[in-house]
Amino acid sequence: MSLAVLLGTLGAGLGLSAGLAFNLRLARALGTPLAATLVNFAVGAVLLLSLWVLGVDGARPSAFPPLWTLLGGLFGATYVTLSLIGAARLGVGLSTVAVTLGQVLGALLIGAAGWLGQAPQRPTLTAWLSAALLLGAVALLARDREQGGA
């Protein structure tokens, strides 16, 4: 396993938490999570279009992808909106851990079933233990929040 890739992925997770906090403030300022999600994606689109025009990635598509692959954008917009709603009610910490648990469970299901072009991979005991630990973290953070800690 490449340490650089692992650290980059960890950095992406840190960025998601920070982005959620920024977007939560944006949603409050705009009055709705949907407006904040729209602004989030518009700003992201401008950045990505600029990088693409500058040739930062060095590649250009040779054909239009299958339409079903565009569902990732639908899931992305839904993720941002639901994350904002959750963070407003649960706090950034609890909602981030809950989203992470959902990602782990989704990855286990998609991998086990071999969906979306993934090679079928039976979940290991370690993978299930990781999900169980995250579930415990969600439960502890939720309990702490109910008791006024977070």
Side-chain angles (χ1 to χ4, degrees):
M1 177 184 321
S2 168
L3 181 60
V5 171
L6 185 59
L7 290 175
T9 304
L10 179 63
L14 292 170
L16 279 176
S17 294
L20 180 57
F22 282 115
N23 287 331
L24 188 55
R25 299 287 288 237
L26 182 61
R28 286 182 191 144
L30 296 175
T32 172
L34 287 177
T37 302
L38 178 63
V39 170
N40 173 290
F41 276 83
V43 169
V46 168
L47 171 67
L48 292 173
L49 181 61
S50 300
L51 294 173
W52 187 52
V53 167
L54 293 171
V56 171
D57 63 354
R60 298 287 179 267
S62 59
F64 197 78
L67 289 179
W68 70 267
T69 62
L70 302 179
L71 289 174
L74 177 67
F75 283 111
T78 303
Y79 158 76
V80 172
T81 303
L82 291 176
S83 293
L84 288 172
I85 293 167
R89 291 180 174 87
L90 304 173
V92 172
L94 174 54
S95 64
T96 298
V97 176
V99 164
T100 303
L101 172 59
Q103 288 176 313
V104 169
L105 292 174
L108 290 173
L109 179 63
I110 290 167
W115 290 340
L116 304 171
Q118 302 300 305
Q121 184 176 9
R122 190 172 187 190
T124 64
L125 179 59
T126 303
W128 285 116
L129 179 59
S130 299
L133 289 171
L134 278 169
L135 178 60
V138 167
L140 287 171
L141 289 168
R143 182 173 170 228
D144 187 51
R145 182 149 179 94
E146 284 180 5
Q147 294 176 350

PDB file of all heavy atoms in Angstrom, residues 34-53:
ATOM      1  N   LEU A  34     -30.502  23.122  -0.107  1.00  0.00           N
ATOM      2  CA  LEU A  34     -30.497  22.951  -1.564  1.00  0.00           C
ATOM      3  C   LEU A  34     -29.749  24.094  -2.253  1.00  0.00           C
ATOM      4  O   LEU A  34     -28.984  23.862  -3.195  1.00  0.00           O
ATOM      5  CB  LEU A  34     -31.926  22.855  -2.100  1.00  0.00           C
ATOM      6  CG  LEU A  34     -32.658  21.551  -1.793  1.00  0.00           C
ATOM      7  CD1 LEU A  34     -34.091  21.613  -2.310  1.00  0.00           C
ATOM      8  CD2 LEU A  34     -31.927  20.360  -2.387  1.00  0.00           C
ATOM      9  N   ALA A  35     -29.953  25.322  -1.789  1.00  0.00           N
ATOM     10  CA  ALA A  35     -29.237  26.458  -2.375  1.00  0.00           C
ATOM     11  C   ALA A  35     -27.734  26.321  -2.117  1.00  0.00           C
ATOM     12  O   ALA A  35     -26.923  26.594  -3.008  1.00  0.00           O
ATOM     13  CB  ALA A  35     -29.766  27.769  -1.802  1.00  0.00           C
ATOM     14  N   ALA A  36     -27.379  25.899  -0.911  1.00  0.00           N
ATOM     15  CA  ALA A  36     -25.959  25.720  -0.595  1.00  0.00           C
ATOM     16  C   ALA A  36     -25.342  24.626  -1.463  1.00  0.00           C
ATOM     17  O   ALA A  36     -24.210  24.762  -1.929  1.00  0.00           O
ATOM     18  CB  ALA A  36     -25.792  25.385   0.888  1.00  0.00           C
ATOM     19  N   THR A  37     -26.085  23.562  -1.698  1.00  0.00           N
ATOM     20  CA  THR A  37     -25.589  22.484  -2.563  1.00  0.00           C
ATOM     21  C   THR A  37     -25.388  22.994  -3.980  1.00  0.00           C
ATOM     22  O   THR A  37     -24.377  22.693  -4.619  1.00  0.00           O
ATOM     23  CB  THR A  37     -26.572  21.293  -2.550  1.00  0.00           C
ATOM     24  OG1 THR A  37     -26.726  20.832  -1.203  1.00  0.00           O
ATOM     25  CG2 THR A  37     -26.060  20.146  -3.415  1.00  0.00           C
ATOM     26  N   LEU A  38     -26.331  23.768  -4.480  1.00  0.00           N
ATOM     27  CA  LEU A  38     -26.210  24.338  -5.822  1.00  0.00           C
ATOM     28  C   LEU A  38     -24.964  25.221  -5.930  1.00  0.00           C
ATOM     29  O   LEU A  38     -24.185  25.097  -6.888  1.00  0.00           O
ATOM     30  CB  LEU A  38     -27.463  25.131  -6.177  1.00  0.00           C
ATOM     31  CG  LEU A  38     -27.449  25.828  -7.533  1.00  0.00           C
ATOM     32  CD1 LEU A  38     -27.346  24.800  -8.660  1.00  0.00           C
ATOM     33  CD2 LEU A  38     -28.682  26.685  -7.695  1.00  0.00           C
ATOM     34  N   VAL A  39     -24.761  26.094  -4.953  1.00  0.00           N
ATOM     35  CA  VAL A  39     -23.575  26.961  -4.964  1.00  0.00           C
ATOM     36  C   VAL A  39     -22.305  26.115  -4.874  1.00  0.00           C
ATOM     37  O   VAL A  39     -21.336  26.359  -5.595  1.00  0.00           O
ATOM     38  CB  VAL A  39     -23.653  28.002  -3.823  1.00  0.00           C
ATOM     39  CG1 VAL A  39     -22.341  28.746  -3.669  1.00  0.00           C
ATOM     40  CG2 VAL A  39     -24.796  28.982  -4.083  1.00  0.00           C
ATOM     41  N   ASN A  40     -22.324  25.101  -4.017  1.00  0.00           N
ATOM     42  CA  ASN A  40     -21.171  24.202  -3.871  1.00  0.00           C
ATOM     43  C   ASN A  40     -20.790  23.591  -5.215  1.00  0.00           C
ATOM     44  O   ASN A  40     -19.622  23.605  -5.614  1.00  0.00           O
ATOM     45  CB  ASN A  40     -21.526  23.111  -2.846  1.00  0.00           C
ATOM     46  CG  ASN A  40     -20.490  22.029  -2.734  1.00  0.00           C
ATOM     47  OD1 ASN A  40     -20.315  21.226  -3.647  1.00  0.00           O
ATOM     48  ND2 ASN A  40     -19.822  21.996  -1.611  1.00  0.00           N
ATOM     49  N   PHE A  41     -21.779  23.059  -5.915  1.00  0.00           N
ATOM     50  CA  PHE A  41     -21.481  22.408  -7.190  1.00  0.00           C
ATOM     51  C   PHE A  41     -21.124  23.417  -8.275  1.00  0.00           C
ATOM     52  O   PHE A  41     -20.310  23.120  -9.154  1.00  0.00           O
ATOM     53  CB  PHE A  41     -22.643  21.504  -7.607  1.00  0.00           C
ATOM     54  CG  PHE A  41     -22.566  20.151  -6.956  1.00  0.00           C
ATOM     55  CD1 PHE A  41     -23.041  19.971  -5.679  1.00  0.00           C
ATOM     56  CD2 PHE A  41     -21.981  19.084  -7.607  1.00  0.00           C
ATOM     57  CE1 PHE A  41     -22.947  18.732  -5.049  1.00  0.00           C
ATOM     58  CE2 PHE A  41     -21.876  17.847  -6.990  1.00  0.00           C
ATOM     59  CZ  PHE A  41     -22.365  17.663  -5.711  1.00  0.00           C
ATOM     60  N   ALA A  42     -21.705  24.609  -8.249  1.00  0.00           N
ATOM     61  CA  ALA A  42     -21.358  25.638  -9.233  1.00  0.00           C
ATOM     62  C   ALA A  42     -19.904  26.071  -9.060  1.00  0.00           C
ATOM     63  O   ALA A  42     -19.162  26.179 -10.044  1.00  0.00           O
ATOM     64  CB  ALA A  42     -22.298  26.832  -9.101  1.00  0.00           C
ATOM     65  N   VAL A  43     -19.491  26.309  -7.821  1.00  0.00           N
ATOM     66  CA  VAL A  43     -18.099  26.699  -7.567  1.00  0.00           C
ATOM     67  C   VAL A  43     -17.159  25.566  -7.980  1.00  0.00           C
ATOM     68  O   VAL A  43     -16.130  25.798  -8.631  1.00  0.00           O
ATOM     69  CB  VAL A  43     -17.905  27.088  -6.085  1.00  0.00           C
ATOM     70  CG1 VAL A  43     -16.429  27.240  -5.741  1.00  0.00           C
ATOM     71  CG2 VAL A  43     -18.671  28.368  -5.771  1.00  0.00           C
ATOM     72  N   GLY A  44     -17.525  24.339  -7.622  1.00  0.00           N
ATOM     73  CA  GLY A  44     -16.710  23.189  -8.016  1.00  0.00           C
ATOM     74  C   GLY A  44     -16.623  23.044  -9.523  1.00  0.00           C
ATOM     75  O   GLY A  44     -15.561  22.734 -10.074  1.00  0.00           O
ATOM     76  N   ALA A  45     -17.734  23.263 -10.218  1.00  0.00           N
ATOM     77  CA  ALA A  45     -17.739  23.149 -11.678  1.00  0.00           C
ATOM     78  C   ALA A  45     -16.836  24.189 -12.322  1.00  0.00           C
ATOM     79  O   ALA A  45     -16.099  23.887 -13.274  1.00  0.00           O
ATOM     80  CB  ALA A  45     -19.169  23.285 -12.205  1.00  0.00           C
ATOM     81  N   VAL A  46     -16.856  25.419 -11.810  1.00  0.00           N
ATOM     82  CA  VAL A  46     -15.981  26.472 -12.342  1.00  0.00           C
ATOM     83  C   VAL A  46     -14.519  26.091 -12.142  1.00  0.00           C
ATOM     84  O   VAL A  46     -13.701  26.204 -13.059  1.00  0.00           O
ATOM     85  CB  VAL A  46     -16.306  27.841 -11.699  1.00  0.00           C
ATOM     86  CG1 VAL A  46     -15.232  28.871 -12.029  1.00  0.00           C
ATOM     87  CG2 VAL A  46     -17.677  28.328 -12.145  1.00  0.00           C
ATOM     88  N   LEU A  47     -14.186  25.595 -10.959  1.00  0.00           N
ATOM     89  CA  LEU A  47     -12.810  25.175 -10.689  1.00  0.00           C
ATOM     90  C   LEU A  47     -12.395  24.043 -11.613  1.00  0.00           C
ATOM     91  O   LEU A  47     -11.330  24.098 -12.254  1.00  0.00           O
ATOM     92  CB  LEU A  47     -12.657  24.740  -9.225  1.00  0.00           C
ATOM     93  CG  LEU A  47     -11.316  24.078  -8.890  1.00  0.00           C
ATOM     94  CD1 LEU A  47     -10.168  25.066  -9.003  1.00  0.00           C
ATOM     95  CD2 LEU A  47     -11.363  23.456  -7.510  1.00  0.00           C
ATOM     96  N   LEU A  48     -13.227  23.019 -11.717  1.00  0.00           N
ATOM     97  CA  LEU A  48     -12.873  21.858 -12.541  1.00  0.00           C
ATOM     98  C   LEU A  48     -12.798  22.214 -14.023  1.00  0.00           C
ATOM     99  O   LEU A  48     -11.906  21.738 -14.735  1.00  0.00           O
ATOM    100  CB  LEU A  48     -13.879  20.734 -12.306  1.00  0.00           C
ATOM    101  CG  LEU A  48     -13.826  20.121 -10.911  1.00  0.00           C
ATOM    102  CD1 LEU A  48     -14.967  19.139 -10.717  1.00  0.00           C
ATOM    103  CD2 LEU A  48     -12.489  19.467 -10.650  1.00  0.00           C
ATOM    104  N   LEU A  49     -13.702  23.061 -14.491  1.00  0.00           N
ATOM    105  CA  LEU A  49     -13.652  23.491 -15.884  1.00  0.00           C
ATOM    106  C   LEU A  49     -12.357  24.256 -16.155  1.00  0.00           C
ATOM    107  O   LEU A  49     -11.698  24.044 -17.184  1.00  0.00           O
ATOM    108  CB  LEU A  49     -14.869  24.352 -16.229  1.00  0.00           C
ATOM    109  CG  LEU A  49     -14.947  24.851 -17.668  1.00  0.00           C
ATOM    110  CD1 LEU A  49     -15.023  23.676 -18.643  1.00  0.00           C
ATOM    111  CD2 LEU A  49     -16.135  25.777 -17.844  1.00  0.00           C
ATOM    112  N   SER A  50     -11.973  25.108 -15.228  1.00  0.00           N
ATOM    113  CA  SER A  50     -10.719  25.866 -15.377  1.00  0.00           C
ATOM    114  C   SER A  50      -9.512  24.931 -15.440  1.00  0.00           C
ATOM    115  O   SER A  50      -8.631  25.088 -16.294  1.00  0.00           O
ATOM    116  CB  SER A  50     -10.546  26.842 -14.214  1.00  0.00           C
ATOM    117  OG  SER A  50     -11.607  27.756 -14.170  1.00  0.00           O
ATOM    118  N   LEU A  51      -9.474  23.960 -14.555  1.00  0.00           N
ATOM    119  CA  LEU A  51      -8.357  23.005 -14.553  1.00  0.00           C
ATOM    120  C   LEU A  51      -8.343  22.171 -15.822  1.00  0.00           C
ATOM    121  O   LEU A  51      -7.277  21.880 -16.372  1.00  0.00           O
ATOM    122  CB  LEU A  51      -8.440  22.098 -13.317  1.00  0.00           C
ATOM    123  CG  LEU A  51      -8.240  22.786 -11.966  1.00  0.00           C
ATOM    124  CD1 LEU A  51      -8.514  21.820 -10.829  1.00  0.00           C
ATOM    125  CD2 LEU A  51      -6.841  23.380 -11.852  1.00  0.00           C
ATOM    126  N   TRP A  52      -9.522  21.798 -16.308  1.00  0.00           N
ATOM    127  CA  TRP A  52      -9.613  21.005 -17.524  1.00  0.00           C
ATOM    128  C   TRP A  52      -9.143  21.801 -18.723  1.00  0.00           C
ATOM    129  O   TRP A  52      -8.383  21.312 -19.553  1.00  0.00           O
ATOM    130  CB  TRP A  52     -11.046  20.519 -17.706  1.00  0.00           C
ATOM    131  CG  TRP A  52     -11.239  19.553 -18.836  1.00  0.00           C
ATOM    132  CD1 TRP A  52     -10.551  18.401 -19.072  1.00  0.00           C
ATOM    133  CD2 TRP A  52     -12.192  19.657 -19.874  1.00  0.00           C
ATOM    134  NE1 TRP A  52     -11.016  17.783 -20.189  1.00  0.00           N
ATOM    135  CE2 TRP A  52     -12.037  18.523 -20.712  1.00  0.00           C
ATOM    136  CE3 TRP A  52     -13.184  20.579 -20.186  1.00  0.00           C
ATOM    137  CZ2 TRP A  52     -12.827  18.305 -21.835  1.00  0.00           C
ATOM    138  CZ3 TRP A  52     -13.968  20.346 -21.300  1.00  0.00           C
ATOM    139  CH2 TRP A  52     -13.783  19.226 -22.113  1.00  0.00           C
ATOM    140  N   VAL A  53      -9.594  23.075 -18.817  1.00  0.00           N
ATOM    141  CA  VAL A  53      -9.182  23.940 -19.924  1.00  0.00           C
ATOM    142  C   VAL A  53      -7.664  24.142 -19.906  1.00  0.00           C
ATOM    143  O   VAL A  53      -7.020  24.184 -20.951  1.00  0.00           O
ATOM    144  CB  VAL A  53      -9.927  25.295 -19.872  1.00  0.00           C
ATOM    145  CG1 VAL A  53      -9.306  26.318 -20.796  1.00  0.00           C
ATOM    146  CG2 VAL A  53     -11.399  25.094 -20.213  1.00  0.00           C
TER     147      VAL A  53
END
